[in-house]
Amino acid sequence: MSATVMLSKRILKHRWLWTQVTVVLHFLLAAVVGVHGQAVSLGTWEILVNNSGIASMHAAVTRYGTVVLLDRTNTGATEIALPGGACRDSDDLVLKHDCTAHSVLFDPGTNTVRPLSILTDTWCSSGQFLSDGTLMQTGGDFEGIRKVRTFAPCPATGTCDWVESVEVVLEAPRWYATNQLLPDGRQIIIGGRSAYNIEYIPPAANGLLYFDFLNTTNDAQNDNLYPFVHLLPTGNLYIFANRDSIEYNYITNTVVKRFPRIPGEPRNYPSAGSSVMLPLLASNQFATVEVLICGGAQYGAFLEPWTQKPCSITCERMTVTDPNPIWVEERMPFARCMGDMILLPNKDVLIINGASKGSQGWGNAIDPVLNPVRYNPYAMSGSRFTIMAPSAIARMYHCTANLLQDGRVLLAGSNSHQFYTFTGDYPTELRIDAFSPPYLSPTLNDLKPTISVSPLQISYGTPFTVTVITPTGMTTIVDLNLMSAPFNTHSYSQGQRLVSLNVAGSVQVAQASVYQVTATAPPSPQVAPPGYYMLFAVNQRVPSTAVWIRVASSG
């Protein structure tokens, strides 16, 4: 690297630091003063674990509230030993005989981690929960590229661990693929590097299916990796890759609709925007579906990483159920790539993590974006974004973000290096921290509801009742929102969805603050695939701690 380039980088870095300081001071002042002279919460941060042992590349929250964290195995030794003094011998290129763990189980109740046993490389793999609550994890690299692994969760005090199947293997190598749970309980696995095809677990009778959409959306950067996949209430799939998207009928293996090309940059890996399907609402019979895609890297940022091109500052929103859908553009407060988009229980979207320049890859990004941004989909256009309090930890390449059942967002990982490196501007990050959105502010405790009684399972289309306690009573009927537990990796949460239920009403019982709230379960597995969900009660945009509830067919 030339002296001129190094000097330019230093100047850019100092300029970025001054900009961040200015932003932080501005919004700390706003937090103290507020719009009308009153205190306004912009959220708070707390470090939960100073050394988790691994840099989290993949993460998922189990129905016991614990969090499975995964890294690749081909990094050499980590900072935590395998359980029971075990070691593994493998074909890894770095360390053939390895006695360290590359997966841990985090317990938010005690802020502790327990090492788990992963035997094959999970680098850039995919996953999602099965309908019985078991986490299925597929593919990776090297000896793990066709692997199917399962983690059947247990209480935090248990000893559950990964099981790597020897009977079931993937039909195609999967590296950077996407999984989606289907209404019938199967998982569809789509794409991956040089994998222009689809397969199912359990396998379909017709085996591997060629998928031309992934071939036509490929480019010199392979910007169609980790395609965004959302299950629509019709049962079809919305699939987005690079800058194009389709509605796909997986039963007939046909494309039933093609959508306009999104403006601006590529949005998938390695350009790394993010996507959510906005909340599905019983108030419109789940008939309106909107997709939001934010951020991404400029084309060429991955091929020429030394250019450190600015990331995208745009969000694009489209109602995919419209007869003639169009993308509607909004501008974020910060340019961002490698950001995660997390649905919050009050129907907001949190945009968190990432960088403002570069793309994914080893050292390809600079200038981390420390401020999360809250997006309110139902606010007036032009006033939907709110800048939140900044983090002290840069999280860029290979980091994770997951919603916990208490409403916090758990952050882990960040490793911009091929191996664990604890020097330089952006060292490998082993800390775990949590962001508490403004709805967890102590000033809102009087509005915070509690679900005291709820069913363990609900059946499609069937009414059910929960008991909700609010400290000062309710002025409106609470919302009941079901939220899936997705598999988060590489700026995208596979299987993420929020289903806002039809609440018929509430009856005050026992005392002034106790209510029985009656709602109707989702009408079909197309709206909410069978499985375990977090059920949140939300009172005037303040959510309860969730209870886990299983959604299944009757009988």
Side-chain angles (χ1 to χ4, degrees):
M1 186 181 295
S2 70
T4 302
V5 171
M6 291 180 67
L7 179 60
S8 297
K9 281 195 168 187
R10 289 195 187 100
I11 292 170
L12 286 171
K13 182 181 178 184
H14 291 152
R15 187 177 299 162
W16 167 78
L17 286 171
W18 176 247
T19 301
Q20 291 295 316
V21 168
T22 303
V23 168
V24 170
L25 289 174
H26 174 77
F27 287 98
L28 284 177
L29 180 62
V32 174
V33 178
V35 178
H36 300 293
Q38 298 179 351
V40 175
S41 172
L42 299 175
T44 58
W45 292 88
E46 58 181 323
I47 293 178
L48 307 180
V49 175
N50 277 308
N51 187 345
S52 64
I54 70 166
S56 177
M57 183 187 300
H58 320 293
V61 179
T62 78
R63 63 189 178 95
Y64 291 99
T66 55
V67 188
V68 180
L69 304 175
L70 281 151
D71 196 10
R72 55 193 264 254
T73 64
N74 202 25
T75 55
T78 66
E79 300 266 312
I80 187 169
L82 278 164
C87 297
R88 68 183 185 95
D89 294 295
S90 71
D91 294 330
D92 281 352
L93 299 180
V94 178
L95 192 61
K96 304 292 186 185
H97 183 71
D98 187 2
C99 302
T100 61
H102 298 267
S103 179
V104 299
L105 188 70
F106 171 69
D107 177 12
T110 59
N111 289 337
T112 56
V113 295
R114 174 170 68 85
L116 301 175
S117 303
I118 277 288
L119 304 178
T120 57
D121 196 12
T122 59
W123 187 10
C124 300
S125 50
S126 56
Q128 199 161 138
F129 284 99
L130 299 168
S131 57
D132 66 356
T134 297
L135 178 61
M136 187 178 80
Q137 211 271 334
T138 49
D141 197 20
F142 298 104
E143 80 284 2
I145 202 161
R146 290 180 183 263
K147 274 290 181 179
V148 176
R149 314 167 189 87
T150 55
F151 181 86
C154 58
T157 55
T159 58
C160 45
D161 208 339
W162 285 102
V163 175
E164 305 206 19
S165 178
V166 294
E167 294 86 14
V168 180
V169 296
L170 297 174
E171 297 186 62
R174 299 287 172 194
W175 201 26
Y176 305 96
T178 297
N179 294 19
Q180 172 62 53
L181 181 66
L182 297 174
D184 60 8
R186 294 183 297 162
Q187 284 195 27
I188 187 171
I189 307 173
I190 301 175
R193 178 160 287 173
S194 302
Y196 310 127
N197 50 51
I198 287 171
E199 65 179 281
Y200 297 85
I201 299 287
N206 50 356
L208 202 66
L209 297 173
Y210 174 68
F211 194 42
D212 186 61
F213 174 70
L214 292 178
N215 189 22
T216 58
T217 53
N218 197 20
D219 61 23
Q221 295 188 145
N222 301 130
D223 276 311
N224 62 357
L225 301 178
Y226 280 129
F228 304 144
V229 179
H230 302 296
L231 174 67
L232 302 175
T234 60
N236 291 337
L237 298 174
Y238 174 84
I239 304 176
F240 180 101
N242 198 334
R243 294 178 59 206
D244 293 321
S245 55
I246 59 172
E247 183 177 344
Y248 173 69
N249 185 323
Y250 65 90
I251 296 174
T252 60
N253 189 29
T254 56
V255 175
V256 298
K257 189 172 186 177
R258 295 186 182 273
F259 296 96
R261 175 167 288 182
I262 198 170
E265 296 75 22
R267 307 287 178 153
N268 294 88
Y269 183 93
S271 293
S274 190
S275 172
V276 292
M277 180 171 64
L278 293 179
L280 299 175
L281 307 177
S283 59
N284 60 37
Q285 292 75 51
F286 309 106
T288 301
V289 179
E290 293 184 90
V291 169
L292 180 70
I293 297 176
C294 296
Q298 288 190 43
Y299 182 79
F302 182 74
L303 292 174
E304 300 176 335
W306 60 88
T307 59
Q308 305 291 3
K309 298 177 185 292
C311 298
S312 172
I313 201 167
T314 64
C315 286
E316 301 286 346
R317 181 170 169 173
M318 181 170 66
T319 304
V320 300
T321 47
D322 275 357
N324 298 296
I326 59 170
W327 291 105
V328 178
E329 185 169 291
E330 300 176 84
R331 290 176 67 85
M332 296 183 288
F334 306 102
R336 193 184 305 250
C337 52
M338 294 182 287
D340 288 282
M341 295 171 67
I342 306 298
L343 292 170
L344 298 179
N346 64 356
K347 302 177 192 169
D348 286 346
V349 180
L350 186 72
I351 307 173
I352 198 166
N353 297 334
S356 61
K357 294 187 180 74
S359 70
Q360 298 205 63
W362 312 129
N364 288 3
I366 58 172
D367 296 1
V369 184
L370 300 177
N371 292 81
V373 171
R374 184 182 63 191
Y375 177 85
N376 181 345
Y378 309 106
M380 294 292 293
S381 177
S383 59
R384 292 174 178 156
F385 293 101
T386 305
I387 300 174
M388 300 283 99
S391 171
I393 299 175
R395 298 199 189 271
M396 299 189 291
Y397 190 45
H398 286 163
C399 66
T400 55
N402 296 80
L403 177 72
L404 298 176
Q405 68 186 89
D406 61 9
R408 293 179 298 169
V409 175
L410 188 79
L411 293 311
S414 190
N415 189 11
S416 297
H417 313 279
Q418 187 171 3
F419 308 112
Y420 282 20
T421 304
F422 299 106
T423 58
D425 292 338
Y426 310 117
T428 302
E429 185 56 68
L430 303 183
R431 287 174 291 180
I432 298 174
D433 67 346
F435 176 69
S436 294
Y439 55 60
L440 292 175
S441 169
T443 61
L444 298 177
N445 283 345
D446 285 348
L447 297 177
K448 185 179 178 68
T450 300
I451 300 176
S452 62
V453 181
S454 64
L456 297 177
Q457 180 170 310
I458 56 177
S459 301
Y460 292 109
T462 303
F464 68 97
T465 300
V466 298
T467 302
V468 177
I469 301 172
T470 58
T472 57
M474 292 188 297
T475 59
T476 59
I477 296 175
V478 298
D479 292 330
L480 292 180
N481 296 331
L482 287 173
M483 301 194 68
S484 66
F487 180 85
N488 176 265
T489 187
H490 289 77
S491 305
Y492 176 56
S493 290
Q494 301 182 14
Q496 182 174 212
R497 71 201 295 113
L498 187 159
V499 180
S500 185
L501 301 177
N502 179 27
V503 176
S506 60
V507 177
Q508 196 169 341
V509 296
Q511 50 188 296
S513 60
V514 181
Y515 298 80
Q516 286 187 339
V517 182
T518 301
T520 303
S524 70
Q526 287 75 25
V527 172
Y532 286 89
Y533 291 77
M534 290 182 278
L535 176 67
F536 287 91
V538 183
N539 179 29
Q540 301 174 67
R541 290 180 52 80
V542 178
S544 68
T545 293
V547 297
W548 288 92
I549 194 166
R550 190 173 188 179
V551 180
S553 300
S554 59

